[in-house]
Amino acid sequence: MAKQSYIALDCEFHWDQELHKAHLAMDHKSKRRAVAVKKVMAAAAFQFSIDEEGRLSTGEVASWNEYDWGSEEAVVTQLFDYLRAHEDKPIVTFGGLGTDIPVLLLCSIANGLRLPPQLADRPGRRGPRPHLDLGLQIKGGGKTWSHLSQVLLRMGVPFNLVAAKPGVRRPVSAGAWQDLRDHVELDCLLLSVAKLGWLVAQGTESLRLEPAIIALIEGFLRRRPDHSLSNELRTYSNRLQQELASGFDLAA
């Protein structure tokens, strides 16, 4: 049975002080938040698929960080190799066109890395887009952007999960690096939840939001049972299941 598959992608960055100092030496107005002074310290990917019956299945959760791999170049190389191994699947980001993709591109330029097909410019390309920026899709022709956290809260995702979403500091201990891994992987799951909402809104055949979110969470937890927010995720999944059961009881 035909499936549409996606790879939810998220990166975490740190501000490179040496680069910023060099920028300031040339321009005292250089901004700390400029894309050019950001470096990738962690990245994660989470695969999910939807078949023609609206059934959702999940794939692996993968992540890489500087603590395990030693450098930004190594982290990005691992990410790119992963995306090349799944080049038939489009990636989903939130605001990726504005931040994630430019920083990855700058890393590629600086280190001579070849971009994976989902990120490389392809003049005259035909067929489905290999990169879907959900933030841009939601914005549409409007002038204002919604933050992913705002979208998730509006969807009823528990505050404790959404509150873990904002960016994190550069870790200084092994335990903090583990927390960062949990953080970036959770971001991919939450991005996938928001993407499901968008797909339902667009009329994806037979896809029902609550059962799909439950399947997404359960698939994530099978691969990350010891995630630091596993209890919160299970509570959220159980709540959705209870709401579905209550709806069935009312219908009966």
Side-chain angles (χ1 to χ4, degrees):
M1 186 170 291
K3 290 184 177 181
Q4 175 60 62
S5 298
Y6 303 93
I7 299 175
L9 171 66
D10 186 68
C11 298
E12 292 295 334
F13 312 106
H14 71 92
W15 169 54
D16 188 288
Q17 296 186 35
E18 295 304 316
L19 277 176
H20 187 236
K21 287 179 182 178
H23 287 200
L24 282 175
M26 294 182 292
D27 178 5
H28 71 278
K29 295 181 180 180
S30 179
K31 294 182 179 180
R32 174 175 170 171
R33 296 183 179 273
V35 168
V37 301
K38 295 183 183 212
K39 284 192 172 182
V40 180
M41 62 178 176
F46 179 39
Q47 293 190 37
F48 66 97
S49 302
I50 301 164
D51 68 17
E52 292 175 341
E53 300 295 326
R55 292 174 296 202
L56 184 138
S57 58
T58 58
E60 64 182 317
V61 182
S63 63
W64 311 268
N65 62 68
E66 227 183 296
Y67 182 79
D68 292 334
W69 292 94
S71 68
E72 178 196 42
E73 179 184 359
V75 169
V76 174
T77 296
Q78 294 300 314
L79 171 62
F80 285 1
D81 286 347
Y82 178 88
L83 294 178
R84 268 189 284 274
H86 303 281
E87 64 179 60
D88 58 319
K89 299 177 178 65
I91 62 170
V92 180
T93 66
F94 201 100
L97 286 173
T99 302
D100 299 65
I101 307 310
V103 177
L104 290 170
L105 177 57
L106 286 167
C107 179
S108 301
I109 292 171
N111 295 287
L113 303 179
R114 182 169 59 90
L115 290 167
Q118 296 97 324
L119 302 180
D121 284 338
R122 291 288 186 267
R125 175 189 53 80
R126 296 180 180 179
R129 284 179 293 166
H131 171 214
L132 307 169
D133 186 332
L134 181 59
L136 184 60
Q137 289 178 306
I138 292 174
K139 174 180 175 292
K143 295 182 179 180
T144 58
W145 292 80
S146 296
H147 192 279
L148 179 56
S149 296
Q150 296 171 322
V151 176
L152 293 168
L153 288 173
R154 185 155 184 139
M155 292 178 68
V157 177
F159 178 81
N160 287 346
L161 292 173
V162 178
K165 172 75 187 73
V168 295
R169 294 180 180 273
R170 183 170 172 77
V172 294
S173 67
W177 280 103
Q178 178 60 47
D179 291 341
L180 177 61
R181 187 186 101 152
D182 283 356
H183 176 92
V184 71
E185 290 180 352
L186 177 66
D187 279 358
C188 287
L189 173 61
L190 295 176
L191 170 58
S192 302
V193 169
K195 180 63 177 180
L196 286 178
W198 188 87
L199 289 170
V200 170
Q202 298 301 315
T204 301
E205 193 70 26
S206 302
L207 182 63
R208 296 178 59 220
L209 184 58
E210 290 81 4
I213 293 176
I214 293 168
L216 199 66
I217 294 172
E218 296 302 321
F220 180 88
L221 288 175
R222 280 194 298 272
R223 292 162 179 83
R224 292 292 184 266
D226 297 324
H227 191 280
S228 57
L229 288 175
S230 59
N231 289 336
E232 287 83 352
L233 287 168
R234 289 191 177 93
T235 298
Y236 178 34
S237 177
N238 290 339
R239 190 195 83 191
L240 292 175
Q241 294 181 57
Q242 291 169 1
E243 290 174 356
L244 284 172
S246 297
F248 290 142
D249 290 341
L250 288 174

